[in-house]
Short mmCIF file of all heavy atoms in Angstrom, two decimals:
data_model
loop_
_atom_site.label_atom_id
_atom_site.label_comp_id
_atom_site.label_asym_id
_atom_site.label_seq_id
_atom_site.Cartn_x
_atom_site.Cartn_y
_atom_site.Cartn_z
N ARG A 136 24.31 -7.99 -29.47
CA ARG A 136 24.88 -6.64 -29.42
C ARG A 136 24.42 -5.92 -28.16
O ARG A 136 25.21 -5.21 -27.51
CB ARG A 136 24.48 -5.83 -30.66
CG ARG A 136 25.17 -6.25 -31.93
CD ARG A 136 24.92 -5.25 -33.06
NE ARG A 136 23.51 -4.93 -33.22
CZ ARG A 136 22.66 -5.65 -33.93
NH1 ARG A 136 23.06 -6.75 -34.55
NH2 ARG A 136 21.39 -5.30 -34.03
N PHE A 137 23.15 -6.08 -27.79
CA PHE A 137 22.64 -5.45 -26.58
C PHE A 137 23.39 -5.97 -25.35
O PHE A 137 23.80 -5.19 -24.49
CB PHE A 137 21.15 -5.72 -26.44
CG PHE A 137 20.57 -5.23 -25.14
CD1 PHE A 137 20.49 -3.88 -24.85
CD2 PHE A 137 20.11 -6.14 -24.19
CE1 PHE A 137 19.96 -3.44 -23.65
CE2 PHE A 137 19.58 -5.71 -22.99
CZ PHE A 137 19.51 -4.35 -22.72
N GLN A 138 23.59 -7.27 -25.28
CA GLN A 138 24.30 -7.85 -24.14
C GLN A 138 25.76 -7.38 -24.11
O GLN A 138 26.32 -7.11 -23.05
CB GLN A 138 24.24 -9.38 -24.19
CG GLN A 138 22.87 -9.95 -23.86
CD GLN A 138 22.38 -9.50 -22.48
OE1 GLN A 138 23.15 -9.41 -21.53
NE2 GLN A 138 21.08 -9.21 -22.38
N TRP A 139 26.38 -7.28 -25.28
CA TRP A 139 27.75 -6.77 -25.36
C TRP A 139 27.82 -5.35 -24.82
O TRP A 139 28.71 -5.00 -24.05
CB TRP A 139 28.22 -6.82 -26.81
CG TRP A 139 29.62 -6.32 -27.03
CD1 TRP A 139 30.77 -7.06 -27.01
CD2 TRP A 139 30.02 -4.96 -27.31
NE1 TRP A 139 31.86 -6.26 -27.25
CE2 TRP A 139 31.43 -4.97 -27.43
CE3 TRP A 139 29.34 -3.76 -27.45
CZ2 TRP A 139 32.16 -3.80 -27.71
CZ3 TRP A 139 30.05 -2.61 -27.71
CH2 TRP A 139 31.44 -2.64 -27.84
N LEU A 140 26.87 -4.52 -25.24
CA LEU A 140 26.82 -3.13 -24.79
C LEU A 140 26.62 -3.05 -23.28
O LEU A 140 27.28 -2.26 -22.59
CB LEU A 140 25.69 -2.42 -25.53
CG LEU A 140 25.59 -0.90 -25.45
CD1 LEU A 140 26.89 -0.24 -25.86
CD2 LEU A 140 24.45 -0.41 -26.34
N MET A 141 25.73 -3.88 -22.76
CA MET A 141 25.49 -3.91 -21.32
C MET A 141 26.76 -4.30 -20.56
O MET A 141 27.13 -3.67 -19.57
CB MET A 141 24.36 -4.89 -21.00
CG MET A 141 22.99 -4.48 -21.49
SD MET A 141 22.34 -3.01 -20.64
CE MET A 141 22.13 -3.65 -18.98
N ASP A 142 27.41 -5.36 -21.03
CA ASP A 142 28.60 -5.88 -20.35
C ASP A 142 29.79 -4.93 -20.46
O ASP A 142 30.56 -4.77 -19.52
CB ASP A 142 28.99 -7.25 -20.91
CG ASP A 142 27.96 -8.32 -20.60
OD1 ASP A 142 27.18 -8.13 -19.64
OD2 ASP A 142 27.93 -9.35 -21.31
N GLN A 143 29.94 -4.30 -21.61
CA GLN A 143 31.08 -3.42 -21.84
C GLN A 143 30.98 -2.10 -21.08
O GLN A 143 31.98 -1.61 -20.55
CB GLN A 143 31.23 -3.13 -23.34
CG GLN A 143 31.74 -4.29 -24.16
CD GLN A 143 33.22 -4.53 -23.97
OE1 GLN A 143 34.00 -3.59 -23.89
NE2 GLN A 143 33.61 -5.79 -23.90
N TYR A 144 29.78 -1.53 -21.02
CA TYR A 144 29.66 -0.17 -20.49
C TYR A 144 28.54 0.07 -19.50
O TYR A 144 28.74 0.74 -18.48
CB TYR A 144 29.49 0.80 -21.68
CG TYR A 144 30.73 0.93 -22.52
CD1 TYR A 144 30.78 0.35 -23.79
CD2 TYR A 144 31.86 1.60 -22.05
CE1 TYR A 144 31.94 0.45 -24.57
CE2 TYR A 144 33.00 1.70 -22.82
CZ TYR A 144 33.04 1.13 -24.08
OH TYR A 144 34.17 1.22 -24.84
N VAL A 145 27.35 -0.45 -19.79
CA VAL A 145 26.18 -0.01 -19.04
C VAL A 145 26.20 -0.48 -17.59
O VAL A 145 25.94 0.29 -16.67
CB VAL A 145 24.88 -0.47 -19.73
CG1 VAL A 145 23.66 -0.04 -18.92
CG2 VAL A 145 24.81 0.11 -21.14
N ARG A 146 26.51 -1.75 -17.36
CA ARG A 146 26.46 -2.29 -15.99
C ARG A 146 27.38 -1.52 -15.05
O ARG A 146 27.01 -1.24 -13.91
CB ARG A 146 26.83 -3.77 -16.00
CG ARG A 146 25.87 -4.64 -16.77
CD ARG A 146 26.17 -6.12 -16.58
NE ARG A 146 25.59 -6.90 -17.67
CZ ARG A 146 24.31 -7.21 -17.77
NH1 ARG A 146 23.46 -6.81 -16.84
NH2 ARG A 146 23.87 -7.93 -18.79
N ARG A 147 28.57 -1.17 -15.52
CA ARG A 147 29.52 -0.47 -14.65
C ARG A 147 29.01 0.92 -14.28
O ARG A 147 29.12 1.34 -13.13
CB ARG A 147 30.89 -0.36 -15.34
CG ARG A 147 31.70 -1.65 -15.29
CD ARG A 147 32.99 -1.50 -16.05
NE ARG A 147 32.78 -1.43 -17.49
CZ ARG A 147 33.76 -1.23 -18.36
NH1 ARG A 147 35.00 -1.04 -17.96
NH2 ARG A 147 33.51 -1.20 -19.66
N SER A 148 28.47 1.63 -15.26
CA SER A 148 27.96 2.97 -14.99
C SER A 148 26.77 2.93 -14.04
O SER A 148 26.66 3.73 -13.10
CB SER A 148 27.54 3.65 -16.30
OG SER A 148 28.65 3.82 -17.15
N VAL A 149 25.85 1.99 -14.28
CA VAL A 149 24.68 1.87 -13.42
C VAL A 149 25.08 1.48 -12.01
O VAL A 149 24.50 1.97 -11.03
CB VAL A 149 23.67 0.85 -14.01
CG1 VAL A 149 22.57 0.54 -13.01
CG2 VAL A 149 23.08 1.39 -15.31
N ALA A 150 26.09 0.62 -11.88
CA ALA A 150 26.55 0.20 -10.55
C ALA A 150 27.05 1.38 -9.73
O ALA A 150 26.81 1.45 -8.52
CB ALA A 150 27.65 -0.85 -10.69
N ILE A 151 27.69 2.33 -10.39
CA ILE A 151 28.18 3.52 -9.69
C ILE A 151 27.00 4.36 -9.19
O ILE A 151 27.00 4.83 -8.05
CB ILE A 151 29.09 4.35 -10.62
CG1 ILE A 151 30.39 3.58 -10.90
CG2 ILE A 151 29.41 5.71 -10.00
CD1 ILE A 151 31.26 4.21 -11.95
N ILE A 152 25.99 4.53 -10.03
CA ILE A 152 24.81 5.29 -9.62
C ILE A 152 24.05 4.55 -8.52
O ILE A 152 23.58 5.16 -7.55
CB ILE A 152 23.90 5.55 -10.84
CG1 ILE A 152 24.64 6.42 -11.87
CG2 ILE A 152 22.60 6.24 -10.41
CD1 ILE A 152 23.90 6.61 -13.17
N ASP A 153 23.96 3.23 -8.65
CA ASP A 153 23.31 2.42 -7.61
C ASP A 153 23.98 2.64 -6.24
O ASP A 153 23.29 2.82 -5.23
CB ASP A 153 23.38 0.93 -7.95
CG ASP A 153 22.33 0.49 -8.96
OD1 ASP A 153 21.44 1.30 -9.27
OD2 ASP A 153 22.41 -0.66 -9.42
N ARG A 154 25.31 2.60 -6.24
CA ARG A 154 26.04 2.77 -4.97
C ARG A 154 25.82 4.15 -4.38
O ARG A 154 25.67 4.30 -3.17
CB ARG A 154 27.54 2.52 -5.19
CG ARG A 154 27.90 1.07 -5.42
CD ARG A 154 29.39 0.83 -5.23
NE ARG A 154 30.19 1.60 -6.17
CZ ARG A 154 30.54 1.15 -7.38
NH1 ARG A 154 30.13 -0.03 -7.79
NH2 ARG A 154 31.29 1.90 -8.18
N THR A 155 25.79 5.14 -5.23
CA THR A 155 25.58 6.51 -4.75
C THR A 155 24.19 6.66 -4.14
O THR A 155 24.03 7.27 -3.08
CB THR A 155 25.74 7.52 -5.91
OG1 THR A 155 27.03 7.33 -6.51
CG2 THR A 155 25.63 8.95 -5.41
N ILE A 156 23.18 6.10 -4.79
CA ILE A 156 21.82 6.15 -4.25
C ILE A 156 21.74 5.40 -2.93
O ILE A 156 21.12 5.87 -1.96
CB ILE A 156 20.82 5.56 -5.27
CG1 ILE A 156 20.70 6.49 -6.48
CG2 ILE A 156 19.45 5.35 -4.63
CD1 ILE A 156 19.91 5.91 -7.62
N ALA A 157 22.37 4.23 -2.86
CA ALA A 157 22.37 3.45 -1.63
C ALA A 157 23.00 4.23 -0.48
O ALA A 157 22.52 4.18 0.66
CB ALA A 157 23.11 2.13 -1.85
N GLU A 158 24.06 4.97 -0.77
CA GLU A 158 24.70 5.80 0.26
C GLU A 158 23.74 6.89 0.74
O GLU A 158 23.67 7.19 1.93
CB GLU A 158 25.97 6.44 -0.29
CG GLU A 158 27.14 5.49 -0.47
CD GLU A 158 28.35 6.20 -1.04
OE1 GLU A 158 28.62 7.35 -0.61
OE2 GLU A 158 29.02 5.62 -1.93
N ALA A 159 23.02 7.51 -0.21
CA ALA A 159 22.08 8.58 0.14
C ALA A 159 20.93 8.03 0.98
O ALA A 159 20.46 8.70 1.91
CB ALA A 159 21.56 9.25 -1.12
N VAL A 160 20.47 6.81 0.67
CA VAL A 160 19.42 6.18 1.47
C VAL A 160 19.95 5.86 2.87
O VAL A 160 19.29 6.13 3.88
CB VAL A 160 18.92 4.89 0.78
CG1 VAL A 160 18.01 4.09 1.72
CG2 VAL A 160 18.17 5.23 -0.52
N GLU A 161 21.15 5.30 2.93
CA GLU A 161 21.74 4.92 4.22
C GLU A 161 21.97 6.13 5.11
O GLU A 161 21.79 6.06 6.33
CB GLU A 161 23.06 4.19 3.98
CG GLU A 161 23.68 3.60 5.24
CD GLU A 161 24.95 2.83 4.95
OE1 GLU A 161 25.28 2.60 3.77
OE2 GLU A 161 25.62 2.44 5.92
N SER A 162 22.33 7.26 4.50
CA SER A 162 22.58 8.47 5.29
C SER A 162 21.29 9.16 5.70
O SER A 162 21.31 10.12 6.48
CB SER A 162 23.45 9.45 4.49
OG SER A 162 22.73 9.96 3.37
N GLY A 163 20.16 8.71 5.16
CA GLY A 163 18.87 9.30 5.49
C GLY A 163 18.53 10.53 4.67
O GLY A 163 17.53 11.20 4.94
N GLU A 164 19.33 10.82 3.65
CA GLU A 164 19.09 12.02 2.84
C GLU A 164 17.91 11.84 1.89
O GLU A 164 17.24 12.81 1.55
CB GLU A 164 20.35 12.38 2.05
CG GLU A 164 21.51 12.84 2.90
CD GLU A 164 22.73 13.14 2.05
OE1 GLU A 164 22.85 14.30 1.58
OE2 GLU A 164 23.55 12.24 1.84
N ILE A 165 17.69 10.62 1.43
CA ILE A 165 16.55 10.37 0.56
C ILE A 165 15.77 9.18 1.11
O ILE A 165 16.30 8.39 1.90
CB ILE A 165 16.96 10.12 -0.91
CG1 ILE A 165 17.81 8.86 -1.03
CG2 ILE A 165 17.69 11.32 -1.48
CD1 ILE A 165 18.14 8.52 -2.48
N ARG A 166 14.54 9.04 0.67
CA ARG A 166 13.66 7.98 1.18
C ARG A 166 14.17 6.60 0.78
O ARG A 166 14.83 6.43 -0.25
CB ARG A 166 12.25 8.19 0.64
CG ARG A 166 11.57 9.44 1.18
CD ARG A 166 10.33 9.77 0.38
NE ARG A 166 9.39 8.64 0.39
CZ ARG A 166 8.39 8.51 -0.48
NH1 ARG A 166 8.21 9.43 -1.43
NH2 ARG A 166 7.58 7.48 -0.40
N ASN A 167 13.83 5.63 1.61
CA ASN A 167 14.28 4.26 1.38
C ASN A 167 13.34 3.57 0.38
O ASN A 167 12.45 2.81 0.75
CB ASN A 167 14.31 3.49 2.70
CG ASN A 167 14.94 2.12 2.55
OD1 ASN A 167 15.51 1.81 1.51
ND2 ASN A 167 14.82 1.30 3.58
N LEU A 168 13.55 3.85 -0.87
CA LEU A 168 12.80 3.24 -1.96
C LEU A 168 13.72 2.29 -2.72
O LEU A 168 14.95 2.38 -2.60
CB LEU A 168 12.28 4.34 -2.90
CG LEU A 168 11.31 5.34 -2.27
CD1 LEU A 168 11.08 6.51 -3.22
CD2 LEU A 168 9.99 4.66 -1.92
N PRO A 169 13.16 1.37 -3.51
CA PRO A 169 14.02 0.43 -4.25
C PRO A 169 15.07 1.14 -5.09
O PRO A 169 14.74 2.03 -5.89
CB PRO A 169 13.02 -0.35 -5.12
CG PRO A 169 11.73 -0.26 -4.37
CD PRO A 169 11.73 1.10 -3.74
N VAL A 170 16.31 0.77 -4.91
CA VAL A 170 17.42 1.43 -5.61
C VAL A 170 17.24 1.34 -7.12
O VAL A 170 17.49 2.32 -7.84
CB VAL A 170 18.77 0.81 -5.19
CG1 VAL A 170 19.90 1.32 -6.08
CG2 VAL A 170 19.08 1.14 -3.74
N GLU A 171 16.79 0.16 -7.61
CA GLU A 171 16.65 0.01 -9.06
C GLU A 171 15.60 0.95 -9.63
O GLU A 171 15.72 1.42 -10.77
CB GLU A 171 16.32 -1.45 -9.42
CG GLU A 171 14.99 -1.98 -8.92
CD GLU A 171 15.04 -2.57 -7.52
OE1 GLU A 171 16.00 -2.26 -6.78
OE2 GLU A 171 14.13 -3.34 -7.18
N HIS A 172 14.57 1.27 -8.82
CA HIS A 172 13.55 2.22 -9.28
C HIS A 172 14.14 3.63 -9.35
O HIS A 172 13.91 4.37 -10.31
CB HIS A 172 12.35 2.22 -8.32
CG HIS A 172 11.60 0.93 -8.32
ND1 HIS A 172 10.50 0.71 -7.51
CD2 HIS A 172 11.75 -0.21 -9.05
CE1 HIS A 172 10.03 -0.51 -7.72
NE2 HIS A 172 10.77 -1.08 -8.65
#
Side-chain angles (χ1 to χ4, degrees):
R136 288 191 309 276
F137 174 67
Q138 288 303 322
W139 180 91
L140 192 54
M141 292 293 294
D142 293 339
Q143 287 285 320
Y144 291 107
V145 179
R146 297 188 201 283
R147 282 177 289 176
S148 297
V149 170
I151 292 172
I152 297 173
D153 280 352
R154 287 197 299 271
T155 304
I156 291 171
E158 287 179 41
V160 170
E161 187 177 352
S162 68
E164 292 179 88
I165 63 176
R166 293 167 57 197
N167 187 10
L168 298 169
V170 170
E171 64 273 19
H172 294 178

